[in-house]
Amino acid sequence: MNDRIADIHGELTPHARGTVWPARVDLHLEDGLAEDDVDRWVQSACLLCSNGCGCDIAVKDGRMVGVRGRATDVVNHGRLGPKGLYGSTAWSRSSDRLTRPLVREGGRLVESDWDTAMGRVVEVSRRLLADKGPLSHGFYTSGQLFLEEYYTQAVIGKAGIGTPHMDGNTRLCTATSAAAFKESFGADGQPGSYTDIEHCDAIFLFGHNMAETQTVLWTRILDRTRGEDPPRIVCVDPRRTLVAREAEATGGVHLAPRVGTNMALMNGLTRELFVHGWVDEAWVDEHTIGVDDLRAVVEPYTPDHVADVCGLDADDLRRAARIFGESTAVLSTVLQGFYQSHQATAASVAVHNLHLLRGMIGRPGAGVLQMNGQPTAQNNRECGADGDFPGFRNWDNPRHVEELATAWNVDAMTIPHWAPPTHAMQIFRYVETGAIELLWISATNPAVSMPQSARIREVLSADTCFVVVQDLFLTETAELADVVLPAAGWGEKTGCFTNVNRTVHLSEKAVEPPGEARSDLDIFVAYADAMGFTDKDGNPLISWRTPQEAFDAWRAVTAGRPVDYTGLSYDTLRGPTGIPWPVNDEHPEGTDRLYADGVFPTDTDYCETYGHDLLTGGAVTESEHRALAPAGRAFLKAAPYTPPHEEPSEDYPLRYTTGRTAYQFHTRTKTGRSRSLDAAAPDAWVELSVPDAARLGIDEGDRVRVESPRGAIEVRARVGQVMEGAVFAPFHYGHYDPSGGTPDADHRLANELTMTVWDPVSKQPYFKTAACRVVKVRDGDGPAPAPTTTASAPATTQGRRSVPATSGGAPTSSRVLDETPDYPLDPSRDPGTPTATRRP
Amino acid sequence: MPHLSTYVGLADHSEKTLAESLRAVADGHAAEVDVFHTCHLLAGWSDEHRHLLAPVVARYGEDDVEEPERLHADGLAEVRSGPVGLLRDLQDLHVLATLVQTTWTVVAQGAQGLRDHELLQVATTSNAETTRQLTWLNTRMKAAAPQALIVDP
Ligand code: SF4
């Protein structure tokens, strides 16, 4: 029986390069139940990070009681991580689930019924539409709903109401991934595949602490690094994470740039490729545009100059570049260390540039994985509840808008395409100025997750805006709402979602939702019905009722687009594994990786965007784009490094950066309700480097005050693994306090300190660049509540207090299969697949 | 070449006005944080153009004859408030930047005629960045316009 709190990644199954990743089936059942006790297993996939591990939900007496990994699923080959095992079902039976709608009466939220609650929403919505028009409405959704729900919401917002003010918390986690794809390749869409892990000889992780954020994917990498012919790992991260340690162990490099200087680092790496001739000139000529401009922009970034800006050793930079330049197949992954940091889109685009310069895209082992934070972020981007247009259509292309107008049978003028879609930060600004008077928030908790949270709470509390929140629990955000709608969660409703490498899973309803809670799809449909939204012929705009009907409507609008679902159905998704899009006549079994032919969706009439200036966000026009005649070539886009918006000063001498831990997800709405996970990371902390802690007279576990120009927190200090000058705080902790009596609960919200500032292209807020100061408040009475099994491990040179190892997870089982199942599309099935390069 | 030096002077002067006006709009609309940061960034570009031009100005002399006075546009000493005010201010910046751009265009022509490589280089690179300033202003106006025109109280 494995304690997967102590052993995050579980038993390894090392294997050689180019061979199929073995299967290992992980299982956790609550209350000491055994596999035989389970009444039913219901097909699904884990919803606690973007990895999308296939799993079956265990149902006993009408309740969800655990999960088991699906051995046949291409994503996880049966494995599950601690969050998936311990966090998938425990929340569903919490006594504090919302079971009835709430409405605000005399300043207090009181229990009500659906007719009253929806009646209030509809009354306000109707009045505002009549008085102020569609721009009075804003929608802020999630990265955790299902495809069918996003698509329905997108149609309501874009064709029913006609507001451009739609976005999701995907803006905070994944917007840069989408933006970077669009800038380089013309449209969103993950080029690479997880199967690249089996074929590469180098893996670069850019600002991606995969060992904690996608634990199962990291297990897949460990199974390569511990096997025969392992890849070298290069880690770009200011903390000495497990990834950084693996980089050291595999003969790779750990680069720890100063927070906010990623762009200088990327320009330095790019310049090295040029200087050493690690460029596939013929491929670049044929398949890209912009190489001369790129070469000119990176020219000043010599290793010494970069070392200076980033606080690195120039030789480490050279070594990393050499690994990129001399490996035969490089896989790169990118996450929040880039997406939420200064020059986010430009730095992420620079990762594409490295691959394009070497022609390392579209073949097994040579690929890019721009990751997502949340499990269904991809669907929000595809379906357009986040401001994008459904099917990766270009809002600025009238023909694309016409296609949607035809599909929905509405006047194209209704669809808000006369301005760029409004991003989340601007939506909240419009609420603040009083321009948006109805804000509908679904399945997300901005009061905790948005930057400068005190401001966000003020915005949400103002009485100029009617706030609707639909969620599973009375979150910190729901507490501020005018109407709260109880929603059904994962396993209590049916729908599809798509993971970070385009793999679509069907998640079936396993149990009934509690009380009067309804699926988000049902809630949106009920609103559309009550509002009487109709098409041009007077028929209901939302003609579907069930998830399957919604899926079929969505599938139809993807025809001919890069994100082609036309060959998928609920029936095909009930098979042994999730299926990666595009799935169509040409690719009936799906598509393992994109751009195998080196042709990108950049054609002016086809692309999702005409592109932007990476420094300003200024939009390229259609005629400018046409003049470039991209015709399927990828863009090499360059940007110089600019210093971050807030640099350390005398008053605030340290760099503040926020992030995640392996045991919690988002604002802990689900993971906080799992005893095993909550106990592993029960309360907030900050991490300081050994020299900074010594200078400030701070010892492990001391209570400290961390302050920026915007706010402060008081939590316990972990003297840990961050680089000198940096302070790390996990962002998960608001005042929601599952175990009760946590003394920090009211002053531990990491986003009190962060700034309201965002990337000019992706509009993703920068959570990683703020200046701060740290002072000791008083001696601690024990170690900080930070895990020891992760990047938060205490420094080896310990202070007065010794720190017990994190452990104590409920029992789980794990079984390595003797016979590895057959995985469709997996290039390792065919021993003839060349793992080496087609170009030496 | 009295007129070329006039236009060199105009380029210098109009970039200065643009930089000052960008900063005024940045600080006046600081609550719009993207406007704040981007306008400061763009103002820095205009400073840099003047910096590059300085040796040329020293060579030609900055001839402030009467006529170009009429060409000088006044900068934005004060900003307007509110969403419509922001829109108007961005529009004003666009007018100023357009003056800068046309000035660089004619200066580049003069530099070509005179085979003044240094000046041609300054005019061309500056002009390219002025285009980017104009592009951003356009993009931001487009984003702000519907809300400002239709909903702003
Ligand atoms: S890696 Fe992600 S999707 Fe897989 S089990 Fe863990 S939390 Fe769930």
Side-chain angles (χ1 to χ4, degrees):
Chain A
M1 287 287 148
N2 309 8
D3 172 359
R4 293 291 300 281
I5 295 295
D7 183 6
I8 294 175
H9 302 102
E11 183 188 349
L12 295 184
T13 54
H15 66 115
R17 184 178 183 189
T19 61
V20 179
W21 186 34
R24 180 191 93 192
V25 176
D26 295 343
L27 163 80
H28 172 61
L29 294 172
E30 293 166 23
D31 312 328
L33 291 169
E35 239 170 318
D36 287 348
D37 300 329
V38 173
D39 298 338
R40 283 183 302 131
W41 295 93
V42 179
Q43 175 167 0
S44 182
C46 174
L47 198 74
L48 289 170
C49 88
S50 62
N51 208 49
C53 296
C55 66
D56 289 311
I57 305 170
V59 180
K60 167 87 178 159
D61 302 332
R63 308 179 333 174
M64 296 194 279
V65 293
V67 283
R68 182 177 64 196
R70 286 172 71 84
T72 51
D73 198 279
V74 295
V75 169
N76 53 322
H77 295 202
R79 289 164 190 75
L80 295 172
K83 270 186 300 185
L85 288 166
Y86 297 124
S88 286
T89 54
W91 56 272
S92 64
R93 297 186 312 277
S94 290
S95 56
D96 57 346
R97 276 292 297 275
L98 286 169
T99 55
R100 295 184 63 187
L102 309 177
V103 297
R104 192 163 291 279
E105 288 291 353
R108 281 183 45 244
L109 282 171
V110 295
E111 286 206 342
S112 177
D113 55 65
W114 277 99
D115 284 346
T116 309
M118 190 54 89
R120 287 201 187 180
V121 176
V122 168
E123 187 235 299
V124 174
S125 185
R126 282 228 176 93
R127 174 169 52 74
L128 284 172
L129 285 181
D131 294 354
K132 309 241 161 146
L135 298 178
S136 56
H137 282 52
F139 291 89
Y140 185 61
T141 184
S142 173
Q144 301 174 37
L145 297 185
F146 289 153
L147 170 164
E148 294 80 358
E149 295 166 334
Y150 293 130
Y151 182 61
T152 303
Q153 194 180 16
V155 179
I156 290 172
K158 286 174 168 51
I161 296 169
T163 176
H165 307 324
M166 301 187 81
D167 204 351
N169 63 17
T170 47
R171 188 65 59 187
L172 318 182
C173 82
T174 184
T176 299
S177 160
F181 287 143
K182 291 187 223 176
E183 295 301 320
S184 298
F185 309 133
D188 195 348
Q190 186 72 269
S193 166
Y194 288 174
T195 60
D196 287 328
I197 293 171
E198 279 85 60
H199 295 271
C200 62
D201 57 355
I203 307 179
F204 278 63
L205 296 102
F206 294 98
H208 182 193
N209 184 7
M210 189 197 282
E212 294 190 54
T213 55
Q214 284 89 12
T215 58
V216 169
L217 195 60
W218 181 243
T219 308
R220 194 165 181 159
I221 289 182
L222 290 177
D223 282 338
R224 278 289 327 275
T225 59
R226 310 300 166 89
E228 215 177 289
D229 197 2
R232 280 184 288 179
I233 306 289
V234 176
C235 167
V236 178
D237 199 310
R239 291 202 296 163
R240 192 161 171 272
T241 58
L242 298 177
V243 177
R245 287 182 236 174
E246 201 66 11
E248 289 157 14
T250 56
V253 188
H254 173 210
L255 298 167
R258 268 186 204 114
V259 174
T261 64
N262 292 333
M263 197 63 224
L265 174 74
M266 294 310 296
N267 283 343
L269 290 173
T270 311
R271 183 179 179 280
E272 287 287 288
L273 294 194
F274 282 117
V275 167
H276 295 277
W278 292 318
V279 174
D280 186 337
E281 306 273 359
W283 197 90
V284 167
D285 270 0
E286 198 179 334
H287 296 287
T288 69
I289 305 181
V291 69
D292 293 333
D293 187 39
L294 176 62
R295 191 188 287 113
V297 169
V298 301
E299 181 45 37
Y301 295 86
T302 62
D304 289 327
H305 173 55
V306 172
D308 227 37
V309 174
C310 302
L312 296 168
D313 181 341
D315 282 335
D316 284 346
L317 178 81
R318 290 191 185 94
R319 281 205 299 130
R322 181 168 292 279
I323 292 175
F324 204 103
E326 295 186 341
S327 296
T328 58
V330 182
L331 171 64
S332 292
T333 75
V334 192
L335 196 60
Q336 309 307 358
F338 272 42
Y339 299 168
Q340 295 183 340
S341 192
H342 189 55
Q343 297 190 278
T345 305
S348 303
V349 158
V351 176
H352 297 158
N353 292 346
L354 296 177
H355 282 263
L356 291 168
L357 287 174
R358 292 218 59 217
M360 286 225 182
I361 196 154
R363 66 184 156 94
V368 178
L369 295 170
Q370 298 277 357
M371 301 302 290
N372 302 337
Q374 294 178 81
T376 77
Q378 186 60 46
N379 302 105
N380 203 355
R381 281 148 56 178
E382 296 168 356
C383 298
D386 67 342
D388 285 323
F389 271 44
F392 295 164
R393 284 181 174 82
N394 183 351
W395 68 268
D396 209 7
N397 181 336
R399 286 168 300 278
H400 287 194
V401 177
E402 198 54 57
E403 287 169 12
L404 292 173
T406 306
W408 299 335
N409 191 28
V410 297
D411 183 352
M413 287 286 279
T414 319
I415 302 174
H417 64 288
W418 16 259
T422 316
H423 58 93
M425 302 300 289
Q426 188 67 48
I427 290 176
F428 278 83
R429 175 68 185 144
Y430 284 149
V431 176
E432 188 174 36
T433 61
I436 288 179
E437 296 184 50
L438 187 156
L439 180 66
W440 191 324
I441 299 170
S442 35
T444 186
N445 190 6
V448 175
S449 56
M450 276 204 147
Q452 212 176 335
S453 37
R455 168 177 170 255
I456 297 296
R457 282 196 303 275
E458 228 167 84
V459 169
L460 292 173
S461 318
D463 40 352
T464 51
C465 187
F466 185 80
V467 177
V468 183
V469 172
Q470 74 195 47
D471 213 318
L472 309 173
F473 295 96
L474 192 66
T475 61
E476 288 89 338
T477 302
E479 287 169 7
L480 306 172
D482 295 286
V483 169
V484 180
L485 304 175
W490 178 87
E492 298 168 345
K493 60 181 184 178
T494 294
C496 292
F497 63 100
T498 306
N499 82 337
V500 85
N501 76 332
R502 292 173 279 102
T503 305
V504 187
H505 283 112
L506 174 65
S507 177
E508 303 253 31
K509 179 169 169 176
V511 298
E512 289 301 323
E516 296 173 27
R518 293 187 186 172
S519 79
D520 297 86
L521 177 65
D522 287 346
I523 296 173
F524 292 137
V525 170
Y527 169 70
D529 283 353
M531 291 295 288
F533 295 129
T534 53
D535 67 9
K536 274 201 283 197
D537 299 326
N539 297 317
L541 178 68
I542 305 299
S543 55
W544 51 87
R545 303 286 109 173
T546 65
Q548 187 158 356
E549 289 164 7
F551 183 86
D552 289 339
W554 157 247
R555 187 168 65 153
V557 301
T558 65
R561 296 301 299 161
V563 49
D564 193 337
Y565 277 68
T566 49
L568 281 173
S569 67
Y570 271 32
D571 276 349
T572 52
L573 290 169
R574 288 194 173 107
T577 176
I579 303 173
W581 60 253
V583 193
N584 50 24
D585 291 343
E586 209 184 318
H587 307 283
E589 287 192 46
T591 308
D592 194 30
R593 62 181 52 65
L594 303 180
Y595 312 139
D597 51 3
V599 177
F600 301 90
T602 50
D603 187 86
T604 306
D605 296 315
Y606 189 65
C607 64
E608 190 181 0
T609 177
Y610 301 130
H612 299 85
D613 188 315
L614 295 184
L615 271 191
T616 66
V620 177
T621 63
E622 180 191 340
S623 51
E624 288 165 340
H625 192 269
R626 212 171 276 287
L628 293 168
R633 289 175 294 166
F635 288 95
L636 289 164
K637 288 199 175 184
Y641 161 74
T642 60
H645 295 106
E646 188 169 274
E647 290 268 57
S649 60
E650 212 171 295
D651 280 349
Y652 301 98
L654 298 165
R655 289 170 206 264
Y656 181 77
T657 175
T658 67
R660 286 145 190 75
T661 179
Y663 301 110
Q664 298 286 6
F665 179 60
H666 218 250
T667 62
R668 298 174 303 128
T669 311
K670 283 180 179 170
T671 49
R673 289 174 169 88
S674 149
R675 244 173 314 166
S676 296
L677 293 172
D678 190 56
D683 190 6
W685 68 92
V686 290
E687 290 166 35
L688 300 168
S689 70
V690 174
D692 288 326
R695 201 167 22 253
L696 296 163
I698 293 167
D699 205 349
E700 170 70 34
D702 284 349
R703 200 157 287 272
V704 299
R705 181 175 169 82
V706 187
E707 203 170 348
S708 86
R710 290 156 295 278
I713 50 175
E714 268 186 42
V715 295
R716 281 166 283 179
R718 160 62 40 91
V719 180
Q721 311 270 351
V722 284
M723 70 186 292
E724 189 172 352
V727 176
F728 172 90
F731 86 109
H732 309 288
Y733 301 89
H735 66 241
Y736 158 59
D737 185 12
S739 31
T742 305
D744 293 344
D746 290 325
H747 41 76
R748 62 180 180 182
L749 209 171
N751 276 319
E752 296 287 315
L753 282 77
T754 48
M755 288 178 90
T756 301
V757 57
W758 57 82
D759 184 73
V761 181
S762 69
K763 319 297 185 193
Q764 186 158 349
Y766 292 160
F767 290 93
K768 310 239 184 227
T769 51
C772 73
R773 64 174 165 241
V774 179
V775 289
K776 177 167 162 175
V777 177
R778 62 176 182 277
D779 277 346
D781 45 16
T788 62
T789 40
T790 63
S792 307
T796 36
T797 47
Q798 282 183 7
R800 287 182 268 127
R801 297 185 187 96
S802 71
V803 184
T806 301
S807 66
T812 73
S813 77
S814 189
R815 187 164 50 92
V816 176
L817 302 194
D818 298 332
E819 203 169 321
T820 304
D822 188 35
Y823 298 103
L825 303 173
D826 191 325
S828 305
R829 291 158 94 202
D830 171 10
T833 303
T835 55
T837 175
R838 61 181 172 230
R839 285 170 303 278
Chain B
M1 2 151 230
H3 295 298
L4 181 57
S5 58
T6 304
Y7 268 80
V8 167
L10 179 61
D12 185 52
H13 191 276
S14 56
E15 286 280 21
K16 178 163 178 270
T17 309
L18 178 59
E20 286 167 358
S21 305
L22 280 164
R23 291 199 169 94
V25 171
D27 297 340
H29 295 281
E32 311 299 333
V33 295
D34 61 329
V35 171
F36 175 80
H37 290 294
T38 315
C39 284
H40 274 293
L41 175 77
L42 301 186
W45 293 2
S46 287
D47 294 346
E48 177 63 16
H49 302 164
R50 295 187 65 214
H51 176 71
L52 293 171
L53 188 64
V56 183
V57 173
R59 273 199 282 124
Y60 284 80
E62 195 162 347
D63 223 352
D64 236 356
V65 293
E66 269 160 47
E67 195 199 353
E69 275 306 324
R70 284 192 275 137
L71 287 173
H72 285 177
D74 289 334
L76 275 87
E78 258 173 54
V79 299
R80 306 169 175 93
S81 64
V84 178
L86 172 66
L87 192 59
R88 295 279 305 279
D89 287 341
L90 292 171
Q91 241 178 332
D92 277 348
L93 289 175
H94 196 275
V95 170
L96 292 172
T98 307
L99 176 66
V100 172
Q101 178 150 64
T102 50
T103 306
W104 284 125
T105 304
V106 298
V107 167
Q109 287 176 301
Q112 248 156 349
L114 287 173
R115 296 178 198 163
D116 184 332
H117 290 283
E118 184 186 19
L119 179 55
L120 181 59
Q121 178 70 35
V122 175
T124 319
T125 48
S126 301
N127 197 342
E129 285 194 336
T130 314
T131 302
R132 295 171 66 189
Q133 292 171 321
L134 284 163
T135 298
W136 179 78
L137 288 165
N138 241 319
T139 303
R140 191 61 179 84
M141 278 191 282
K142 256 184 114 169
Q147 202 72 17
L149 298 184
I150 304 172
V151 189
D152 191 30

